[in-house]
Amino acid sequence: MSNFAEAKKELINYIYARTPLVIIHSDERERVERMLNEISSETQISMLYYTDAKQVKCLGAKGDSIDTEDEPLGYFLKQLKKQRSLNIVLGDVRRISDDNAYSRELMNMLYMAKENNGVVVLITTDQAWSRILSFGMVISLDLPDSNERVCQIQKFIKIYSGRFTIDWQEKDIIHAAALLRGFSEIQIENMLASEIIGNRGLRRDKIYKLTSQKERLYTKAGAVQHININRTYKVSGMDRLKKWLNEKKRIFFLPEEQLDEYEISAPKGILLVGVPGCGKSLTAKLVAQEWELPLFRFDIGSVFDKWVGESEKKMREALQFIENMSPCVLWIDEIEKVLSTTDSGNETGKRVLGEFLFWIQESSNKVFMVATANNVKALPYELYRKGRFSEVFYAGLPNAKERRCVLEQYITGSLKCSPSDALLEKLVNMTDRYSYADIETAVKEVAQHMLIQEKNTIDAELLVRSIESIIPISTINNELVSEIEEWGKERAINVSI
């Protein structure tokens, strides 16, 4: 059952029970109005509904508007005295959070409602004064849940499918509904309308753009940066990681209600340890690209401040912003450098990072985190605890198959040529123990030379010399590479098959 249906059922029960006061907490008055109209049409319940713009309207029965020059609370107080079992809804209320003239007048109206078996419904976003709260119950109408968003998108498509090209399938609708999490019904309607007009239809390759409006709605956090990614970029290798991500994607985008039914949560993310230059940072972009989600980089180190309490405040603001942006991919690069702040008795660092680890463990928002690390010795054991990361992966030096793929990709993309099988085989053998970054640097050095010389044919001899001139990471820091490889084989899953 959706949140809307549950709230509607609650309200009907409170009205039948003649509860003197029902407060509906919601930012979406139009959505509450739809609920009231549905109740009036489906039951025998009639209501007097007041807003500043429309004044008093009778919902149910005749459905007429009532002209009155009286102040609303005074008018309804008179009606409650004249008629028993009256249902009144106030769509516009004033200051009800403290003791003031308006709240006291409302109190008089509630006393009369209690005496004459009346029900007063308030639609507001404010917290009510404790004396007002003592009269009744509170209903919280949250933003549309997954099922409601899916239904709204389906209804929108049904209306416009004859006039625009719409290639969204059922899985695309579910994906779009997940991306629109945290928006009101009106905001969702506006965003879909903007999308269908701007692209002359709803195209599945543009779904990821639905979340671009979120950053404008919330105050940005200085420690969190949005990263633009090339949606057409191809990532070679990492076949086991790609397979794992493809499986987890299906779970990640399931409706929250379905996950709750099976008592499971969406995948939280991965910790990726590996050799420098072997695609760890690229993995965050890979996830965002494959899952069609926005990517944010979280610089945890920048939340630390010299003033007492400021570090904790900045961390809370950053985490709140990240949750507002969900669903999204969160990238934390070289996390071991940040964790070093807990050393040397730094109590502020311990508190801030303790709060961050608690958030990783307990957050129910759909934020998929990709944390990368180079120095495995600096990683504390509590980071590996199950529930904080879905899995720990290891990215080592590419194998022969991966080197062949990446060489072909870089040569085709940067040199605009197709290498022969013989040349590829030679280069694969030459680049043994090279990282992806080493290979990329060698190929792009040749690309720069070809661009300057205005050549459009591959210079195999120049390419070979360029690769020979590279001193690979495995030679520069063999101890580090060996240490990471040994750690990865024992404690993590290799990203490659």
Side-chain angles (χ1 to χ4, degrees), residues 61 86 126 197 232 255 407 411 431:
L86 193 63
D126 298 335
I197 294 297
T232 61
L407 278 164
I411 291 172
T431 54

Side-chain angles (χ1 to χ4, degrees), residues 250-251 254-266:
R250 297 173 62 185
I251 302 296
L254 285 176
E256 292 91 339
E257 298 78 18
Q258 193 170 350
L259 294 175
D260 292 341
E261 181 182 351
Y262 288 91
E263 298 183 356
I264 59 176
S265 58

Side-chain angles (χ1 to χ4, degrees), residues 3 46 101 162 180 201 263 275 314 318 320 337 377 382 424:
N3 174 250
S46 61
L180 292 170
E263 298 183 356
V275 178
K314 287 182 178 179
Q320 183 62 56
K337 292 183 179 179
K377 288 184 177 180
E382 58 264 28
L424 269 179

Side-chain angles (χ1 to χ4, degrees), residues 315-477:
M315 174 59 81
R316 286 192 295 270
E317 289 174 349
L319 296 179
Q320 183 62 56
F321 178 78
I322 292 166
E323 291 194 347
N324 289 337
M325 293 299 106
S326 68
C328 64
V329 178
L330 183 66
W331 170 28
I332 304 175
D333 200 20
E334 298 184 337
I335 193 172
E336 76 276 15
K337 292 183 179 179
V338 181
L339 294 174
S340 64
T341 57
T342 60
D343 297 336
S344 305
N346 187 337
E347 293 301 324
T348 298
K350 290 178 180 179
R351 287 197 302 273
V352 169
L353 288 165
E355 186 171 346
F356 175 64
L357 292 175
F358 177 79
W359 175 79
I360 297 175
Q361 179 77 29
E362 300 299 328
S363 175
S364 59
N365 288 278
K366 290 190 175 182
V367 177
F368 190 87
M369 185 164 56
V370 178
T372 65
N374 292 325
N375 186 0
V376 292
K377 288 184 177 180
L379 294 173
Y381 288 109
E382 58 264 28
L383 199 63
Y384 307 129
R385 175 184 167 186
K386 291 298 181 183
R388 286 184 173 153
F389 290 98
S390 302
E391 195 55 86
V392 179
F393 281 95
Y394 152 70
L397 296 170
N399 57 36
K401 178 183 176 182
E402 291 171 329
R403 294 199 303 276
R404 184 182 182 90
C405 287
V406 78
L407 278 164
E408 191 169 13
Q409 178 183 332
Y410 284 137
I411 291 172
T412 303
S414 296
L415 304 185
K416 306 302 177 185
C417 304
S418 296
S420 65
D421 288 339
L423 177 59
L424 269 179
E425 190 64 31
K426 181 177 181 179
L427 297 178
V428 167
N429 293 329
M430 289 181 63
T431 54
D432 185 31
R433 303 290 292 170
Y434 277 50
S435 69
Y436 288 111
D438 295 332
I439 296 171
E440 180 184 14
T441 300
V443 174
K444 292 190 175 179
E445 281 291 331
V446 177
Q448 292 178 32
H449 176 78
M450 289 178 62
L451 187 62
I452 294 171
Q453 299 297 323
E454 298 183 355
K455 292 182 178 181
N456 54 12
T457 56
I458 188 169
D459 189 331
E461 185 180 344
L462 181 60
L463 188 54
V464 169
R465 286 204 307 269
S466 180
I467 288 176
E468 287 177 337
S469 68
I470 295 290
I471 302 176
I473 183 69
S474 58
T475 300
I476 295 174
N477 199 338

Side-chain angles (χ1 to χ4, degrees), residues 41-63:
S41 63
E42 295 169 7
T43 68
Q44 298 300 314
I45 298 172
S46 61
M47 291 172 268
L48 293 179
Y49 177 48
Y50 170 83
T51 60
D52 289 340
K54 298 177 182 178
Q55 294 298 298
V56 181
K57 183 177 181 180
C58 185
L59 303 180
K62 298 177 183 179

Side-chain angles (χ1 to χ4, degrees), residues 196-214:
I196 205 168
I197 294 297
N199 295 314
R200 302 302 301 167
L202 295 178
R203 296 169 49 192
R204 73 161 317 279
D205 60 337
K206 300 292 183 182
I207 288 180
Y208 69 93
K209 289 189 174 181
L210 287 173
T211 56
S212 61
Q213 299 293 332
K214 275 192 175 181

